[in-house]
Structure formats: structure tokens, C-alpha cells
Amino acid sequence: MATIEEALEIERLERDIFRGASTKTQLPRTFGGQVAGQALVSAVRTVEPRFQVHSLHGYFLRPGNPQERTVYQVERIRDGRSFCTRRVTGIQDGAAIFTMAASFHAGDEGPEHQDHMPEVPAPEELPDASTTMSPERLWMMREWEHWDIRMVPQEDVSKRDGMVSQQQVWFRYRHQLPDDPLVHVCTLAYMSDMTLLGSSKVTHPDERTQNASLDHAMWFLQPFRADEWLLYDQSSPSAGFGRALTGGKIFSRAGALVAAVVQEGLIRTHREG
């Protein structure tokens, strides 16, 4: 399937109008991480190099057609000395399928602290997901064959009191990426939509549901490489009314908290027909 370079490929049509690539896929609708990643690449192309992405907030409005390319319109909301803001709308067939606000920061100095990384088995101690998936789920590994994904078994998950639904996942891009930090940020934006909603299914493993991302917020906290091991510490504090709230902290192998994610997703009981 598509490499991350192919999935995030953007063509500039006008000063602030871009068109994303359509890639080979087995999915019935465009993968949300690809839409978010392409939207972020489009926003990055309109910002001075001294600014780095520090957050994004997106809403998935309609299912995207994976056979069609998506056009991204970027609005330059603000250009300041330390911060600048962009709004991006992804469009197919004249209708918005995704909207996102992205904020960029030139960097400042201030107090520092972070949570500790959970103690979990090292990725080398866990099997590659492509070798453990059931036959009916192997298509997922073919879809994301360029990613090395290793689920921490539930018995080894570092549990915290009061948290009802948790899972932890090691992941990395299998191939070396360029050194440009923005490449790694956009790659992580793509990956951050993968597996997160699954944390809401940990306590309902046998219930058949229809799932889709509804909104997605992300903060980039420290430099990192997406082609090196990252631990995605995920939880779902609430589910109800056909929706589930999920969140994740992403740590580097060395224990640095590099990003945080919050997402609400559709998780309603599967209806036949």
C-alpha cells in the first residue's frame, strides 16, 4: 500500500489551494489520518520555516471517497511574531469533508515538566502485529504495511487506578524518513488516528460496532522521529450515546512526552442491512 510520502503528497494549485493525492487502499472511505495529514501539510506550506506546528484541531464532517483527490483551501487567520494560525477545509465534490485549525509557534522559554512514561515491555519483546492478527483482520496490516505496530498485551498494560479502558501500543515507521522535523510531525498526525478509537473497545471486545473518527485534536510537545519507536499510551474515559471519548500520550523510547491527542469517535451498535 501507499508509503507515507505518497499518502501525504500535496500539489499546489494556487497560493493557498492544494490538492492531495489519492492512494491505493482497501478502505471504503478515506482514512482520517490521511485527510488530517494532508490538511496539515497544506497549512505548513503557507507558513514561514521559523514556525513549527504546535497544535491542530480537526472535525471529520463527511466520509471521504478514497478514489477521489481532496482539495484543501487554506485561510491565513493570523500571522504574529510568535504564533500564526491557519484554517484548512478539505473538499470533495463541492462539499467539505474535513475542517481543521492549525497553530504554529516560533518557540519561547519557560518552566518545564512532564508525566512519566508508563512501564511496559520493550517493543523488541512484543510480536509485530502483522504476525499475530487473525486472518479476518490481516487486511489492516496490509493497509499499513509500512508501519511496525506492536500492541502491549492487556495483562502487561500499565494500569492506573480509576481509568476504565486502557491500551498501549508501540509503533514506528519502518523506513528512514528525512531529517526535516515537519515531515515527522505530519507523519505522526497521520498515525495518531490509527488504533486510538480501539481503546474504547477494550472493555467491549465482543460487541460489534460501527466506528469512525468525529473530531481530533493534537499537541506537539517535544522533537521526535516517527521512524523511531514511540509508545502510544491510550485510554477511553467515557462512552455513550453512540460516541466514545479517547485520549493518548505519545512518548519517545527515551521517555520524553512528545505529543498528546484527544479524539471523539463514533462507536454505535452495528446495524445489519
Side-chain angles (χ1 to χ4, degrees), residues 55 72-73 84 86 100 112 148-149 154 199 241 247-248 257:
S55 69
Y72 298 93
Q73 295 182 342
C84 60
R86 297 291 185 264
M100 182 184 77
E112 296 183 10
D148 193 341
I149 301 171
Q154 274 297 303
S199 65
F241 304 98
L257 180 57

Side-chain angles (χ1 to χ4, degrees), residues 253-273:
R253 180 72 179 266
L257 180 57
V258 303
V261 187
V262 174
Q263 181 184 88
E264 189 178 43
L266 181 73
I267 178 173
R268 64 186 176 202
T269 301
H270 182 78
R271 301 164 186 161
E272 298 292 345

Side-chain angles (χ1 to χ4, degrees), residues 114-142:
Q114 69 154 72
D115 286 349
H116 294 290
M117 183 173 74
E119 293 186 9
V120 297
E124 294 83 5
E125 300 173 28
L126 302 172
D128 188 326
S130 63
T131 67
T132 61
M133 280 284 186
S134 59
E136 62 271 18
R137 293 175 63 84
L138 268 179
W139 68 269
M140 295 177 63
M141 291 300 99
R142 289 194 294 268

Side-chain angles (χ1 to χ4, degrees), residues 17-210:
I17 301 176
F18 303 84
R19 183 166 57 195
S22 172
T23 58
K24 185 178 179 182
T25 180
Q26 305 168 93
L27 301 175
R29 57 178 177 261
T30 308
F31 174 53
Q34 179 169 342
V35 177
Q38 290 184 349
L40 186 58
V41 172
S42 300
V44 166
R45 297 280 178 87
T46 70
V47 173
E48 294 180 22
R50 68 188 184 92
F51 289 99
Q52 297 292 312
V53 186
H54 84 86
S55 69
L56 62 85
H57 298 252
Y59 284 89
F60 299 94
L61 307 176
R62 294 179 177 86
N65 182 345
Q67 308 305 319
E68 293 186 12
R69 301 178 71 179
T70 305
V71 171
Y72 298 93
Q73 295 182 342
V74 181
E75 297 178 65
R76 301 181 186 232
I77 304 300
R78 178 176 183 266
D79 285 294
R81 288 192 298 270
S82 297
F83 290 89
C84 60
T85 308
R86 297 291 185 264
R87 182 181 293 122
V88 187
T89 303
I91 300 169
Q92 283 188 352
D93 292 329
I97 66 168
F98 180 74
T99 183
M100 182 184 77
S103 183
F104 298 77
H105 188 205
D108 289 301
E109 294 184 359
E112 296 183 10
H113 66 262
Q114 69 154 72
D115 286 349
H116 294 290
M117 183 173 74
E119 293 186 9
V120 297
E124 294 83 5
E125 300 173 28
L126 302 172
D128 188 326
S130 63
T131 67
T132 61
M133 280 284 186
S134 59
E136 62 271 18
R137 293 175 63 84
L138 268 179
W139 68 269
M140 295 177 63
M141 291 300 99
R142 289 194 294 268
E143 183 72 28
W144 291 290
E145 63 183 336
H146 299 289
W147 292 91
D148 193 341
I149 301 171
R150 307 196 179 198
M151 306 291 296
V152 176
Q154 274 297 303
E155 61 268 23
D156 292 325
V157 167
S158 180
K159 301 284 180 64
R160 273 95 72 196
D161 290 341
M163 301 189 77
V164 66
S165 191
Q166 294 178 248
Q167 73 176 10
Q168 287 152 349
V169 185
W170 285 104
F171 69 91
R172 65 177 175 181
Y173 193 65
R174 293 185 186 274
H175 317 295
Q176 185 171 356
L177 294 169
D179 291 334
D180 183 355
L182 289 172
V183 171
H184 295 268
V185 164
C186 294
T187 299
L188 189 59
Y190 174 98
M191 174 59 195
S192 63
D193 188 44
M194 200 182 304
T195 73
L196 181 56
L197 192 53
S199 65
S200 67
K201 294 291 296 294
V202 170
T203 54
H204 316 279
D206 300 321
E207 187 167 348
R208 294 185 65 200
T209 56
Q210 295 174 316

